[in-house]
Amino acid sequence: MMIKGILFDKDGTLIDFSLWTDAAVNTIKKLMKEYFIEDDNIFDELKKSIGIKENVAEPFGALANRSHEDVATELHFVLSKYRNIELDPFKKHVTGIIRDEVLRDEVDYKPLTDIVALHEHLSSKGIKIGLATADSYQSAMHMIDRLMLHDAFDFVGSNDGVMKLKPHKDVCERFCSMYGLKPEEVAIVGDSYYDMMFAKNSGAIGVGVLSGVSCKINLKDVSDVIIPSVNSLFDDEVLCSLDEESYETRELWTA
């Protein structure tokens, strides 16, 4: 029996994650300029605090897994050692900078698959498609608008101030409620540990992809199955292996 719904993470799963690394580095540079800090060691310390090493996002860092507010909190922890900075106004300021960075017209969204074709393929199988991102609703819709994906998602779950963020099960519950699905009929596809914990907390099937911030060793203990990328979902054999009873088949794909 094939699954009936899929919730996709956005960055690192459907969209190349590098745009967030660039946005975070630019944000740090702006903050250092604002606070009149010129020190390469502090620059490196700030990057490390949110999980950027050699300009690559680390799989368990705040940038890869947490909200913009959490990223701001980590940056504040470092900067407050060098400047007297009040946390709450700082968080609001930093989230605004990050938001503006990813909403710039020149930001290059790089799809990791043909998202429209994937939606058409999955929809032809009767599978509902949702987006589940820790990104803001405004930023998620900006990506959808820029890539003309208005018909590619049946549901958008985001950091809209209403839904609880991953790894809480709220987004999956809302998706299931909207389409009359059971959690075990839903696959949650993502590139991070938090995505897989979101699947576990939801009672859904966790499908890890290796197209984003994580490698296989980061996901193997928390995923039900690991695939190279979402392109594997064009393969009906892979799709059929995602139902809750196909444990042995999933093991073959994960091996």
Side-chain angles (χ1 to χ4, degrees), residues 27-76:
T27 297
I28 290 170
K29 289 178 178 178
K30 287 183 179 181
L31 290 171
M32 291 183 68
K33 186 175 181 179
E34 288 178 7
Y35 290 104
F36 304 101
I37 298 173
E38 296 183 12
D39 188 311
D40 288 343
N41 290 328
I42 296 176
F43 180 56
D44 290 339
E45 186 181 2
L46 286 165
K47 289 192 294 182
K48 183 179 179 180
S49 73
I50 60 173
I52 298 177
K53 184 178 181 180
E54 297 178 356
N55 290 327
V56 176
E58 296 186 308
F60 297 104
L63 183 63
N65 291 291
R66 308 304 291 271
S67 69
H68 300 166
E69 291 80 3
D70 292 327
V71 169
T73 300
E74 296 296 335
L75 293 174
H76 177 269

Side-chain angles (χ1 to χ4, degrees), residues 1 8 24 28 44 46 49-50 52 57 71 73 105 111 134 144 150 154 156 158 161 167 182 189 208 219 227 243 248:
M1 181 179 176
F8 287 98
I28 290 170
D44 290 339
L46 286 165
S49 73
I50 60 173
I52 298 177
V71 169
T73 300
D105 290 338
I144 288 172
H150 304 93
D154 305 304
V156 176
S158 64
K182 299 176 182 178
V189 182
L219 300 175
I227 56 179
D243 72 272
E248 292 183 4

Side-chain angles (χ1 to χ4, degrees), residues 74-111:
E74 296 296 335
L75 293 174
H76 177 269
F77 180 78
V78 174
L79 280 177
S80 62
K81 294 189 293 184
Y82 306 100
R83 298 290 187 271
N84 184 18
I85 306 170
E86 191 176 346
L87 176 59
D88 288 341
F90 180 81
K91 285 170 64 175
K92 185 176 181 180
H93 178 52
V94 172
T95 55
I97 296 175
I98 296 172
R99 180 197 62 227
D100 291 345
E101 278 291 322
V102 297
L103 292 179
R104 290 183 297 114
D105 290 338
E106 59 267 33
V107 167
D108 184 18
Y109 291 102
K110 300 174 183 176

Side-chain angles (χ1 to χ4, degrees), residues 2 49 69 77 149 170 179 244:
M2 193 173 290
S49 73
E69 291 80 3
F77 180 78
L149 299 175
D170 187 33
Y179 293 107
E244 65 168 341

Side-chain angles (χ1 to χ4, degrees), residues 22 26 48 50-51 60 66 83 85 91 112 115 125 130 133 139 169 192 199 203 213 227-228 249:
D22 294 342
N26 289 341
K48 183 179 179 180
I50 60 173
F60 297 104
R66 308 304 291 271
R83 298 290 187 271
I85 306 170
K91 285 170 64 175
L112 296 172
I115 298 173
K125 309 292 181 184
T133 177
S139 181
K169 62 183 179 179
S192 76
V213 299
I227 56 179
T249 307

